[in-house]
């Protein structure tokens, strides 16, 4: 790998000659600017404002523009002669635990390579000291015309350096957090913990740039003349409020299913409630809902009337049957009473006849029989 800077690591009185190598590379696809009508390249030419001539890169230098517009030329020799220990040196200032470094400060990453055979021993000494201490080194260095802050750590068997932003370059997160007070329940935190545990770890080497691959495939297809654009299916973003608890539960179940684990949770589904878009649209929706309810109402009422009428008819029929049965009972009772009265009258008449005969017999004088 090509080095971009040569210097030394200053570790107390120990000096370690090193070469600085980029540890990262960009795989992003770069595009050229073209003239849309004919496809010709559009180029930028560097032109001197004084003579109007195009200036080649070899004749372009640095300069500082003052408030009045005048330019002060600055050469590489001027920068190299600055009274700074870090001009060609990565000066280690202290060793701190890695967790004390805010990831927001992380910038570009470099590998530090030992420069020459004499650098191998002190390089290995610093590497092993960093490993055993489980700390990182904080250092200053100068690169591309400015002094920078760096963090040295061990990656495999190599010392890597991360450029760090200066503390005053980190902006305070004012006005970023939600302004409204939001309370989170323990049950929601428990579900979030369960989801985190279920998702588990990820192999960082398995992650890749899908967008770049899609762009590359499109370029290949267009260069071959077989490109057929297709409309991407984009899920509508926003516009819905999801029940957080149900969404978390569903996420846990989905994560377990993807890992082949049995689902022991409930079957609650995420409830989705549409957000009102506009006042007019909401009113129209409510009016439509009211009209739908009004249209359905007569059926419900009609059903109730029909049921009530049937109930009344049934009750009336039952009442008629009761009356008929009662009348029949009364008629039968009347007939029975008439028969009983007739019998009683006949007996009374017979008794009267017998009594009258007996009385007549008693009243008739007997004839005397002579001796």
């Amino acid at each position: 790998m090509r080095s971009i800077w040569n210097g030394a690591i200053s570790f107390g009185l120990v000096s370690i000659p090193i070469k600085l190598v980029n540890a990262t590379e960009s795989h992003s696809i770069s595009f050229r600017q073209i003239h849309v009508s004919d496809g010709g390249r559009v180029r930028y030419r560097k032109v001197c404002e004084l003579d109007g001539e195009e200036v080649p890169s070899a004749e372009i230098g640095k300069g500082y523009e003052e408030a009045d517009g005048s330019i002060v030329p600055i050469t590489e020799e001027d920068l190299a002669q600055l009274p700074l220990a870090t001009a060609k040196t990565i000066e280690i200032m202290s060793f701190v635990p890695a967790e004390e470094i805010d990831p927001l400060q992380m910038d570009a990453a470099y590998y530090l390579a030992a420069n020459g055979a004499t650098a191998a021993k002190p390089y290995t000494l610093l590497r092993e000291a960093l490993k055993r201490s489980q700390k990182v080194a904080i250092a200053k260095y100068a690169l591309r015309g400015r002094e920078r802050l760096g963090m040295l750590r061990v990656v495999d068997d190599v010392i890597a350096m991360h450029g760090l932003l200066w503390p005053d370059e980190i902006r305070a997160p004012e006005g970023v957090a939600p302004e409204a007070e939001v309370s989170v329940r323990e049950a929601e935190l428990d579900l979030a913990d369960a989801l985190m545990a279920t998702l588990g770890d990820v192999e960082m080497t398995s992650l890749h740039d899908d967008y770049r691959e899609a762009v590359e495939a499109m370029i290949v297809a267009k260069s071959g003349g077989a490109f057929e654009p297709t409309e991407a299916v984009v899920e509508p973003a926003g516009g819905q409020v999801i029940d957080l608890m149900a969404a978390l539960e569903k996420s846990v179940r989905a994560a377990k299913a993807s890992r082949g684990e049995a689902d022991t949770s409930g079957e609650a589904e995420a409830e989705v409630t549409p957000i009102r878009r506009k006042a007019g649209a909401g009113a129209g929706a409510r009016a439509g809902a009211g009209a739908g309810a009004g249209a359905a109402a007569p059926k419900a009422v009609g059903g109730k009337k029909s049921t009530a009428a049937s109930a009344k008819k049934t009750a009336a029929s039952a009442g008629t049957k009761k009356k008929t049965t009662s009348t029949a009972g009364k008629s039968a009772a009347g007939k029975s009473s008439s028969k009983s009265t007739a019998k009683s009258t006949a007996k009374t008449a017979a008794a009267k006849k017998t009594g009258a005969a007996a009385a007549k017999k008693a009243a008739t004088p007997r004839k005397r029989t002579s001796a």
Side-chain angles (χ1 to χ4, degrees):
M1 289 186 286
R2 186 174 63 88
S3 63
I4 61 172
W5 183 87
N6 292 339
I9 299 175
S10 174
F11 178 32
L13 296 178
V14 177
S15 181
I16 311 169
I18 55 98
K19 295 184 292 184
L20 197 65
V21 179
N22 279 320
T24 61
E25 59 185 359
S26 174
H27 290 166
S28 61
I29 298 172
S30 59
F31 298 101
R32 301 293 186 186
Q33 290 187 328
I34 62 170
H35 190 192
V36 176
S37 61
D38 56 15
R41 280 280 306 275
V42 176
R43 298 178 182 273
Y44 290 100
R45 289 184 171 87
K46 298 178 180 180
V47 178
C48 176
E49 291 183 353
L50 296 179
D51 57 18
E53 298 292 330
E54 185 176 351
V55 182
S57 298
E59 297 181 14
I60 297 176
K62 295 185 178 75
Y64 177 79
E65 184 177 3
E66 295 188 315
D68 59 359
S70 60
I71 302 295
V72 178
I74 304 294
T75 65
E76 293 298 330
E77 291 75 15
D78 295 334
L79 295 174
Q81 292 173 3
L82 289 174
L84 290 175
T86 58
K88 280 291 182 180
T89 304
I90 298 174
E91 184 181 1
I92 295 177
M93 300 179 296
S94 65
F95 295 86
V96 300
E99 55 269 19
E100 289 189 11
I101 306 300
D102 189 343
L104 282 173
Q105 288 185 258
M106 296 288 188
D107 201 2
Y110 308 94
Y111 290 134
L112 304 182
N115 192 5
T118 57
K121 179 66 180 268
Y123 183 96
T124 304
L125 172 65
L126 176 59
R127 183 191 67 195
E128 295 304 314
L130 287 171
K131 280 184 180 180
R132 189 165 71 171
S133 68
Q134 296 183 347
K135 292 183 178 181
V136 296
I138 302 300
K140 282 183 178 182
Y141 65 102
L143 181 65
R144 297 190 180 101
R146 56 172 292 198
E147 189 174 54
R148 302 168 187 264
L149 194 62
M151 178 191 77
L152 278 62
R153 69 184 184 97
V154 178
V155 177
D156 295 333
D157 287 332
V158 176
I159 299 175
M161 182 174 71
H162 295 270
L164 298 179
L165 299 175
W166 296 98
D168 59 358
E169 292 179 318
I170 305 297
R171 299 174 63 185
E174 296 176 356
V176 179
E179 295 181 1
E181 285 191 19
V182 179
S183 60
V184 179
R185 294 177 293 171
E186 287 295 326
E188 292 170 337
L189 284 173
D190 292 341
L191 277 173
D193 290 342
L195 179 58
M196 291 166 64
T198 305
L199 289 174
D201 300 328
V202 63
E203 287 290 337
M204 296 299 291
T205 55
S206 67
L207 303 178
H208 58 278
D209 188 348
D210 293 327
Y211 181 81
R212 177 175 58 86
E213 291 179 359
V215 172
E216 288 174 347
M218 177 193 66
I219 292 171
V220 171
K222 290 199 78 168
S223 62
F227 176 68
E228 295 182 2
T230 56
E231 187 176 351
V233 179
V234 181
E235 293 293 332
Q240 291 181 330
V241 177
I242 301 177
D243 180 356
L244 185 57
M245 287 290 290
L248 285 170
E249 290 172 357
K250 190 174 181 180
S251 300
V252 172
R253 290 199 303 274
K256 285 184 177 179
S258 66
R259 295 166 67 90
E261 298 179 10
D263 180 23
T264 57
S265 61
E267 296 298 328
E269 293 292 333
E271 297 178 4
V272 180
T273 306
I275 290 179
R276 296 179 198 165
R277 299 287 180 183
K278 293 180 182 177
R286 287 193 294 273
K299 291 185 179 179
V301 172
K304 288 181 181 177
K305 283 185 177 178
S306 176
T307 307
S310 299
K312 284 183 180 179
K313 285 180 181 178
T314 306
S317 176
T320 305
K321 286 182 180 179
K322 278 187 178 182
K323 284 181 181 178
T324 306
T325 307
S326 177
T327 306
K330 285 182 181 179
S331 176
K335 286 180 181 178
S336 177
S337 177
S338 299
K339 285 181 180 179
S340 180
T341 305
K343 285 181 181 180
S344 178
T345 306
K347 283 183 180 180
T348 305
K352 281 184 179 180
K353 264 185 166 186
T354 305
K360 187 178 180 181
K361 191 176 181 181
T364 303
R366 292 183 179 180
K367 294 180 179 180
R368 287 188 181 180
T369 306
S370 59

